[in-house]
Amino acid sequence: MTAIPWTVFVPELFLLGAALLIFLLDSVGFRWLEVFGGLATGGIVLALLAVLADLRFAPLAAFATVPANVVDAPWSQLGGSLVAVTSFGLVFQAIFLTSALLVSLSSLSRPTKEKGAAIFFGLLLFATLGMTLAALSADLIFLLLSIEITGISTYLLVGYTRRDPRGLEAAMKFYIIGALSAALSFFGASLLYAAYGTTSLYALGTTVVYLGHPPLDGATSIALLGYAFLIVGIGFKVTAVPFQAWAVDVYDGAPSDVSAFLAGGSKKVGLFGYFLVFLVPILFAGRLATAPPACPVGLCVTLHPDFGVPLQVIFGVMAIVTMTVGNVLALQQSEMKRMLAYSSISQAGYMLIGLAVATSPAIAGALLQIFAHVFMKAGAFLVVGAVAGLGIGSKIEDWKGVGLRYPYLGLSFAVMLLSLAGVPLTVGFVSKFVLFSAAVQAQGWFVWLAVAGLLNSALSVFYYARVLRVMYMERPEPRSAALPSGAVLGGSEPPLLALGGIGYGRAIAIGIAVVAIFAFGVYPQVVLSTFQNAANHLLQAL
Amino acid sequence: MSGTLSALFPWAFLVPLAPTLAFVIIGLFGRRMQRLEWGGWVAVGGAFVAMVLGVLIAVGEMLSPGTYSDRSVAWLTLPGNGTGAFPHGFSLVMGTLVDPLSAIMLIVVTVVGFLVMLFSIGYMHRDQGLPRYYAELSLFLASMLGLVLADNLLQFFLFWELVGVCSYFLIGFYYAKPSAASAAKEAFLVTRIGDVLFLLGIFIYFDLFATAGPGAGWAASGFLFVSHGAPFLAGVPVSNATLFTVAGLMMLGGAAGKSAQFPLDVWLPDAMEGPTTVSALIHAATMVAAGVYLLAVVSVFIGFTATDQLLIVAIGGFTTFWAASMALVHRDIKRVIAYSTVSQLGYMVLAVGAGFTMVGLYHLFTHAFFKALLFLAAGAVIHAVETQDLFKMGGLRKSMRITSIGFLIGALSLSGIPPFAGFFSKDDVLGSVYQAAQSHPAYWPFLILAYATVFMTAYYIFRAWFLAFSGDHPRDPTLPHAHEAPWTMTVPIVILSGLAIVAGLLAFVPQFGGLFRAGAGFLPTPGVPPTYTTTSLLLSGLSVGLGLTGILTAYVLWGNGRVFTLAESSAVQPIRRLLLERYYVKAGVDWFGLRVVYTVSRFLAFVDEYIIDGTVHGFERMFSELSTRARRVQSGVVLDYAAYVVVGLAIFLVFLYLVVPAFPALGGG
Amino acid sequence: MTDLPLAAFLGLSAVLLGIGIFGILTRRNFILLLIAIEVAMNAAILNFVVFGAYWGGTPGYGLEGPSIAVVLVGLAATEVAVGLAIVLALNRLRGSINVAEATVLKL
Amino acid sequence: MILDLLAFLVLAVTAVVTALAALLVRELVHTIVWVALFFVSLAGFYFLVSAPFLGVLQLGVYAGAVTILLLFGVMVTRKRIFAREAATGLGPAPVALALLIVVVLATAASTIPSSTTQVHGYSVDALSAALFGTYGAWLLLLGLVMLPALAGAIYLVREGRE
C-alpha cells in the first residue's frame, strides 16, 4: 500500500487559493483587473512550479512536495485509492497549467474597465483546477467529476460576456452537448460499476481478483457497452469526430482568450481521460499474453479475451476520420477562428494516433503533440484576439497585409501556422515526426495511421499557406488602409514591434508561445525524454 | 599549451554562433545601421570572432594531432524496443566534431570568410540593399561553419541545404538583372539534383546500417561520424555491397552538384552574376569545396568501394581538363577564374577518388587562398575599371600595383610554380594519383588529362594577367582612369598574397603537416598508403615544366600588350569557337529546350492540361466540393450536433456489442 | 433483503436513457432539453443506486454506488442551475429559448 | 416477493410514462408536474432497493429543488405561463436512434441471469461513513463543481447595470 500524502494537492491549493481570493475581493466590491489577473497568473505560476518540482526538474527538484516513492507507484498497490500520482499525470498538469498561464497572461491586456474580470479569472482558475485534479485520478468517478468542474467553468467562461449574443449562443451549444456528454459518461460509468462493483480505473481494466469479489455474470457485455458510452462522453472534450461539431461554433463564438484556453487546455483533459480510461483495457490483452496474472482464489475473471484490439480499431479509425474531417472542412473556411477550430479538430486526430498505437514511443509522441498544440493553437487564438483588438475583421480576407503592418503579430502567427503545418525546426514538426515514426515502428496496420497523418499534413498546408499568402502577399483594401499606407507599401519602416496596441501581457504570452515553438523544435529532447519516461512509467504502473 | 587549446574543442559551436549573431543583429536592425556600413562592420566583427576561435581550435588540433573531439546532443531520440521497423530506434543528433579534417576547413572558411567580409566593405560600398547582403553573407558563413563542424550526416545535409539557399540569394543579389535572377535559379536547380542524390544516399546508408546490431549502426546513434574518438562506421559490416556502392555514388552525385563537377558544372560560371566578393567566398573558396569535403568525410568515416573510387577519379580527372579548356578562350575575367575553379575542384576530387583524401584537402586548402586572392584582385580591377571584359583592359599594372602583384602571385600559385602554394598541393595531387595508378591502371587516362591541364592552367591565367595588367594603357580608351583600391580592399589582397605564398610551405611545418598526416591515418581503404610523401623529381619537373611552358606561351601571344588574333582560316578556329560556346552544352541545352523539349512539351502540355491538370484540378475541385458540402453538417443547430453525438454512440455500441463478437479477427469470440 | 430482477432494472434505466436521448434529439425548448438531460442523468443515478444495493452484499464494498448517487444528484442539480442561468441570459438577449433558432454561428 | 415485483412494475410504468409525458406534453407548466412525478417515482425505486436515504435525497433535491428551479425558469422565460409549445414532429430518425440504443442495452441486460438478483441493504451510518471517509474526495469535488457554477450563474443572470 502506498499512502498518498495531502501534499499531492499543493498545486491545486495554489489555484484554489487564488480563485477564492479573487471571489472574496470581488464580493467586497474590489474592481481592479490587473490585481485579479496578477493573482490568477501568480497562482498558476506557483502551481506550475510545484508541478515541475514534482516532476523533478533539476533546478526545482529540491522543492518536490510528493515523495518519490509515491510518484509512479504501481496501481495495484493503491488499494482502491481515488488518487494516484503518475509522471504521466504530472506532465499533463504542466501542460494544462502552461495553457492557463498563456491565457491568463494575455487576459491581463483586456480592457481595464471591463466588468466581470473577477469572474473571468476565477472561472479560469477553477477550470484549470478541474483539469489538474483530473490528472490525479485513479478512479473513474473522480476523473469524470474533475472533468465536470472544468466543464461547468468553461460553459460559463464562454458566455461570460453576457451581452454578446455570439458568446451566449456558443455557451448554450457548449452546455447542451456538454451536459449530454456528462450524462452519457456517467451512464457508462454506472454500467462499469454494475458489471464489476468498482470504479477504480485499475481494477476495471485488469481482473477483479484484487477486490476479492466476483463480477456480475454477463459482466463482459455490459462493461463493453460501458466503455462505448465513455468513448462518447469523454470524446466530446477531445473534439473527436463525430463529437466535434460543437467545437467549431464554440471556438468561434467565445472570446478569443477563452477559445485559446479551450483548444489549448480543456481539449487535453479529454485526451488525458481517454488515455487513462482506455489504456488499461487496450494493454490488457498484451499483458495476458506475456504475463498471466496470478490467480490465488479462483476469482480471476477477465473482461474480454481480447478487449484491446477492438478499442484500438475504434481509436485508429477515429483518428483518421477526425484528422481528415478537420482538414477537409478547414479548406473552404473563410473565418479565421473557424479555420483554427477545424485545424484544432484535425490536430486531435493526430493525438489519437498515440492512443490507437498504445506503445510507449507513441504515447510519448502524442504527449509531445499535445504539448506542442498548446503553444501553436492557444498562441494562434491569442494572436487572433490581438488582431481583432486592432480592429481587423474576423474573416481571413480581412487579414490582408497584417503580416507587414504588424510584424510582431504577423511573424508570430506565421510561426504558429508553420508549426501546425509541421515545418522543420518547429515543435510541430518534431511532434509529428515522433508520432508517425512511432506508428511506423509499431508496424502492422498502424503504419496506415502514419500514412494518413502524412497525407493529412500535406492537405493541411493548403489552408495554412492561404493565410500566409493573405497576410504577406496581398494588400489591404483601401478602406482598411486608413492607417499609414506607407507602412504597408514598404515606403517607410514599419514599427519595429508595435506592441503598444495589443498590450504587453498579450505580447508576452504570444512571445512565450513563439519562443517555445522554436526552442522545443530545435531541442525537443529536453521535454521528449520526460514524456518518454512518463509514458514508460504509466505503462509499467498500470 | 596544447591542453589549453584542446579545452576549446567542446566550445566549437561558438564558431558558427558568432556569424549567426551577426546575422540576427543585421537582420533586425541592419536598416538602421547606416554608420556601421549598414551592418557591414557587424558582419566583419562576427567573422573576426569566428576566425580567431576557428584558428585557435585548428591550432589546438595541430598540437594534439589526430584527436577527435565530439560534442553532441541528441535532440530527438526514439528508443527502439527490439522489434518493429527500426528495432534499435534512432536518434537525431546535433553536434560539433573537431578533427583534422574540420580543423583544416575551419582555417580555410574563417580566414577567407573574414577577409572577404572586410573586402566587401570597400567593394560593395556603392551598392543598394547592403543589410540584406551582409545578413545573407553572415548566414552563409554560419551555415558553412555548421557544415564543417557537423558530426553527423543529417546535420551535414541540413547546413548543406542552408548553404545552398544562401548561395541562391547571393547569386541573385542583383535580382533586378534578369541574368542574375536566372543564374540564381539555374544554380539552385542544378545543385538540387545533387542534393536529392545526397539525401537518397543518406537514406540508403540508414537502411544499410539500421539493422547492423545494437549500437553498431547509425540506427542507434543518429548518422554519427565518430564514436568515442574513432571513425564510427568504417569497418561496420555491410549486408549489401551493391547498395553500399550505390550510396557512395549518391554521395558523388551530391558532391558533383555542389562542387560543379561534370556534368553538373554548368551553373558555376553563370553564378558569377553575383557580386565578386560572393564569387570569391562562396564560389571559389568555401561552398564549392563542400562537395570535396563531403567526399573526404565519407571516405574517412564510411569508406568508398573500388567502383566508387574509379568513378570519382573519372569525374574529377575529366572535369579538370574539360573546364580548363573552356577557360582558354573566354574574355570575361571572372568567368576565366570560375572555369579555373571548376578545374581545380576536379583536381581535389581526383585526389580524393584515388584514395588520397588528405592530399585533396591539401589542395583545397591552398586553392582557397590563391583562388580567393585571384577573385578579390579581379574584383578590385572590376571595381576600378567597371568592366569585366579582358580585351578592354590593359596597362593596369601601373595604376594598380598592389592588385597586379596580388593577381600575379595568385596566378603563379595556380600555375604550380614553386615555391608558391599551388605548386606543393598540385604536385602532391599529381604524384599521388601517379602512385595510385601503379596499382589501378584505369587511372592513367585521367592522370594524363590532369597533366595536360597543368599547361592549360598556366596559359589561361597568364593570358588573363597579361591582358589586364601588361601593356601601356587600356585597349578601350573610354574606361575610367583606374586607381588603386581603398585599404579595406588592398589589405585582404595583401594578406591573401602572403597566404598564397606560404600556404604550401606550411605543410613542412611539422605540426601543420601533422594535421594532414593525422587525418590520413584514419583512411579506411586498405592497400593505399596513407599519405604521399616522396615526390619524384622527375614528376615535379614535368609539372613545373608544363606550367612554365604555359606561361611562356601566354607571354609570347599576349605579353606586353600584344593581342593575339587567330586567323579566321586557322584550323584551330572551330575548336576556339567550340570552347567559347562552352562545347555547345549551353547551346545544346537551349536547342534541346527549344526544339525537342518544346515539341515534347507541347505534347506534354496537352497531357498536362487535360490529364494531369484535369486530375489535379479534379482533386482540388473534389476536396473543395467535399469541403463545401461537408461544411453543411455544421448547420449551426445544436440539436444536429447532439444527433451526431448520439449517432456516434449508436455506432460504437453496435460495433462493440454486435460486430466485435462476430469477428474473431477483431478479438471477439 | 429483497430479491429484485437486476436485468429489469438495467432495462428500465436503458429505457429512461432512451427517453432522455429522444428528448434531446427532438425538443427545441431549452427547458425541455434540460429535462431530457435530467432524465438521462437519472438513468445513471438509478443504476448506481440499484447496483450499489446489489454490491452491498460484498463485505466492505458496495457503498460506492450510493455515494456516487448522492454526488450525482448534487451534480445534476448544479448543472440545472447553470443551464437555467444560460437560458435566462439567452432569453434576455434574444427573447426566445428555442435552441434551434440560435444559429448565428454556423458553417 | 410478489409485492416487490408488483411495486417494481407499477413504479417502472409510472417512471416511463411520466418521463415521456414530461417531454411530449405541449404545455410547459404541465411538463413540470410530470417531471416532479417522474422524480417521485424514482424515489420510490430507491425505497424499494433498501436505499431510503437516497430516496429522501431524491425527493428533496430533485422533486423539490430542481422542480422549483425548472418552474422558475419557465415562469421567467415566458410572458404567458400557460402558452403552448409549438408542436415538433416526431421524426422517425430520432425515435429509431433512441430505440436502437435501448435495444442494444436491453439485450446486454438480458444476459444477466436471474440468479444474481439478490439485493442487499446498508445502513445510513455506513453510507455516511463512506461518503465522508473513503469517498470523501467525490464530495469535495462536488463542492468544487458547485462553487464556480454558482458564482458564474449568478454573474450571468444578474442584470448588468452598464
Side-chain angles (χ1 to χ4, degrees), chain A residues 167-225:
Chain A
L168 269 184
E169 181 182 324
M172 180 271 284
K173 289 175 174 173
F174 194 13
Y175 172 80
I176 289 175
I177 305 295
L180 169 65
S181 300
L184 293 180
S185 31
F186 279 113
F187 192 85
S190 78
L191 289 182
L192 286 174
Y193 177 68
Y196 296 116
T198 179
T199 53
S200 156
L201 284 168
Y202 176 71
L204 274 177
T206 51
T207 57
V208 188
V209 70
Y210 295 105
L211 290 179
H213 59 119
L216 184 69
D217 287 351
T220 302
S221 39
I222 293 188
L224 265 170
L225 297 183

Side-chain angles (χ1 to χ4, degrees), chain A residues 169 172-173 176-177 180-181 184 221 224-225 227-229 231-232 242-249 304-307 309-311 313-314 318 328-334 338 342 359 361 368 425 429-430 433-434 437-438 440-441 443 459 493-494 496 521-525 528 532, chain B residues 28-29 31-32 73-90 92 94 158 623-639 641-657 660-661 664-669:
Chain A
E169 181 182 324
M172 180 271 284
K173 289 175 174 173
I176 289 175
I177 305 295
L180 169 65
S181 300
L184 293 180
S221 39
L224 265 170
L225 297 183
Y227 278 119
F229 275 92
I231 295 175
V232 179
F243 324 117
Q244 91 294 2
W246 65 272
V248 187
D249 288 4
H304 194 278
D306 245 335
F307 201 71
V309 179
L311 283 177
V313 171
I314 283 184
M318 198 190 244
V328 166
L329 288 183
L331 281 179
Q332 290 283 304
Q333 193 47 254
S334 58
R338 294 181 83 81
Y342 283 120
T359 59
L368 191 58
L425 286 185
F429 165 77
V430 179
F433 180 82
V434 173
S437 322
V440 170
Q441 189 181 27
Q443 289 183 316
L459 188 59
E493 302 273 313
L496 190 58
V522 172
Y523 190 45
Q525 197 60 39
L528 186 58
Q532 279 159 347
Chain B
L28 283 179
F29 309 108
R31 274 179 289 183
R32 301 175 176 201
V73 281
W75 64 278
L76 195 56
T77 301
L78 293 189
N81 51 4
T83 60
F86 13 92
H88 315 306
F90 61 85
L92 305 186
M94 228 2 138
L158 193 82
F623 273 118
S624 304
E625 187 72 5
L626 192 66
S627 185
T628 314
R629 271 166 199 271
R631 242 149 46 99
R632 288 185 205 149
V633 301
Q634 206 74 34
S635 60
V637 181
V638 68
L639 298 182
Y641 303 171
Y644 306 149
V645 173
V646 174
V647 168
L649 172 66
I651 291 172
F652 293 136
L653 284 178
V654 169
F655 178 77
L656 280 178
Y657 190 66
V660 168
L666 279 174

Side-chain angles (χ1 to χ4, degrees), chain B residues 186-504:
Chain B
E186 186 189 30
F188 193 64
L189 290 179
V190 173
T191 49
R192 284 301 299 174
I193 299 175
D195 297 351
V196 169
L197 296 178
F198 183 11
L199 192 61
L200 263 176
I202 294 181
F203 283 141
I204 297 178
Y205 279 138
F206 177 72
D207 188 48
L208 281 176
F209 292 109
T211 49
W218 287 0
S221 307
F223 309 90
L224 273 180
F225 291 149
V226 290
S227 172
H228 306 298
F232 190 51
L233 287 168
V236 171
V238 177
S239 50
N240 188 334
T242 319
L243 260 186
F244 188 65
T245 306
V246 171
L249 292 182
M250 295 290 157
M251 295 292 140
L252 171 61
K258 221 29 140 210
S259 289
Q261 297 295 291
F262 182 83
L264 299 179
D265 59 330
V266 290
W267 68 269
L268 186 55
D270 292 337
M272 296 302 130
E273 291 290 346
T276 306
T277 45
V278 170
S279 309
L281 177 61
I282 301 186
H283 305 116
T286 57
M287 183 188 85
V288 288
V292 178
Y293 183 56
L294 170 66
L295 290 179
V297 161
V298 172
S299 75
V300 169
F301 294 114
I302 301 166
F304 286 115
T305 61
T307 320
D308 289 335
Q309 284 191 308
L310 179 59
L311 259 151
I312 296 171
V313 164
I315 294 277
F318 182 71
T319 308
T320 308
F321 179 82
W322 163 265
S325 68
M326 287 188 279
L328 295 175
V329 295
H330 272 278
R331 297 164 63 111
D332 183 325
I333 185 168
K334 277 181 76 181
R335 283 195 181 239
V336 170
I337 308 178
Y339 279 115
S340 138
T341 304
V342 177
S343 169
Q344 297 299 310
L345 288 166
Y347 274 122
M348 304 170 204
V349 171
L350 181 67
V352 174
F356 292 87
T357 304
M358 300 318 287
V359 170
L361 283 186
Y362 184 25
H363 194 51
L364 191 161
F365 181 77
T366 57
H367 171 259
F369 297 119
F370 65 72
K371 189 52 62 66
L373 169 63
L374 284 172
F375 261 117
L376 291 190
V381 168
I382 295 166
H383 188 75
V385 300
E386 290 171 4
T387 179
Q388 308 193 3
D389 190 343
L390 284 167
F391 283 75
K392 290 182 182 172
M393 302 171 192
L396 295 174
R397 189 186 58 220
K398 293 171 185 162
S399 49
M400 305 182 73
R401 188 154 295 279
I402 301 176
T403 308
S404 73
I405 295 173
F407 199 102
L408 183 65
I409 291 172
L412 285 169
S413 189
L414 177 63
S415 308
I417 306 301
F420 297 99
F423 162 72
F424 298 100
S425 57
K426 192 187 277 184
D427 195 41
D428 254 9
V429 170
L430 294 168
S432 56
V433 177
Y434 173 79
Q435 196 170 329
Q438 307 301 320
S439 47
H440 298 83
Y443 293 178
W444 274 111
F446 304 107
L447 182 63
I448 293 168
L449 284 180
Y451 269 105
T453 307
V454 174
F455 168 77
M456 287 152 69
T457 307
Y459 167 75
Y460 66 66
I461 199 64
F462 273 90
R463 166 178 172 268
W465 192 85
F466 287 131
L467 275 173
F469 296 103
S470 72
D472 297 326
H473 49 82
R475 287 172 200 80
D476 184 346
T478 62
L479 283 189
H481 186 66
H483 288 290
E484 186 56 275
W487 72 270
T488 47
M489 289 162 77
T490 47
V491 165
I493 290 178
V494 170
I495 296 176
L496 280 172
S497 301
L499 284 169
I501 297 172
V502 301

Side-chain angles (χ1 to χ4, degrees), chain A residues 216-353:
Chain A
L216 184 69
D217 287 351
T220 302
S221 39
I222 293 188
L224 265 170
L225 297 183
Y227 278 119
F229 275 92
L230 285 172
I231 295 175
V232 179
I234 302 176
F236 138 80
K237 275 259 184 288
V238 180
T239 67
V241 175
F243 324 117
Q244 91 294 2
W246 65 272
V248 187
D249 288 4
V250 172
Y251 290 8
D252 185 12
S256 291
D257 291 357
V258 178
S259 309
F261 184 68
L262 291 179
S266 100
K267 177 204 285 279
K268 315 295 165 36
V269 80
L271 277 157
F272 176 80
Y274 259 6
F275 275 103
L276 208 57
V277 173
F278 292 103
L279 266 185
V280 175
I282 284 177
L283 297 171
F284 184 56
R287 198 183 299 254
L288 266 191
T290 53
C295 189
V297 285
L299 287 177
C300 305
V301 180
T302 61
L303 267 180
H304 194 278
D306 245 335
F307 201 71
V309 179
L311 283 177
Q312 281 178 305
V313 171
I314 283 184
F315 288 120
V317 172
M318 198 190 244
I320 294 178
V321 172
T322 301
M323 60 178 107
T324 313
V325 166
N327 278 329
V328 166
L329 288 183
L331 281 179
Q332 290 283 304
Q333 193 47 254
S334 58
E335 292 274 337
M336 187 63 85
K337 280 175 86 178
R338 294 181 83 81
M339 188 278 281
L340 288 178
Y342 283 120
S343 130
S344 174
I345 291 170
S346 73
Q347 299 281 325
Y350 300 132
M351 299 167 198
L352 284 173
I353 291 179

